[in-house]
Amino acid sequence: MAVKLIIDAGSDLTMAQAQELDVILIPMTVRFGDKEYRSGVDISNEEFYNKLASAGELPTTSQPTPFDYEEVYHHVVDAGDE
């Protein structure tokens, strides 16, 4: 049984860094107009900054939902970790 660290993308870790550190990274939602992306999953940091440079208005973000965390917690516990 292992202790798992679970953090959201507000930490600015990339998915690769999270995997290297054995940290579970929950993506944040980023919206450009009516298009929605999950940070580090559907849009990379480079793609984000490219879109930001050409966007007519600033994007919005939202934190992961309690349901997002609950799904990860269940997965961790089901795997026998804490």
Side-chain angles (χ1 to χ4, degrees):
M1 179 170 9
V3 174
K4 293 292 186 178
L5 295 177
I6 302 169
I7 59 175
D8 69 40
S11 66
D12 283 334
L13 286 179
T14 65
M15 287 294 191
Q17 290 169 321
Q19 288 175 349
E20 182 180 317
L21 296 169
D22 195 26
V23 171
I24 298 171
L25 186 61
I26 301 176
M28 294 174 54
T29 301
V30 179
R31 288 183 194 87
F32 280 94
D34 62 349
K35 292 284 273 181
E36 196 170 272
Y37 306 91
R38 291 172 297 154
S39 60
V41 176
D42 304 318
I43 189 170
S44 67
N45 287 351
E46 183 178 344
E47 291 168 322
F48 171 83
Y49 287 111
N50 288 337
K51 283 188 174 296
L52 183 60
S54 63
E57 59 184 63
L58 292 176
T60 59
T61 60
S62 65
Q63 63 192 18
T65 66
F67 179 75
D68 295 331
Y69 279 96
E70 183 180 14
E71 281 188 316
V72 171
Y73 293 155
H74 283 295
H75 177 73
V76 167
V77 169
D78 290 347
D81 294 321
E82 295 184 47

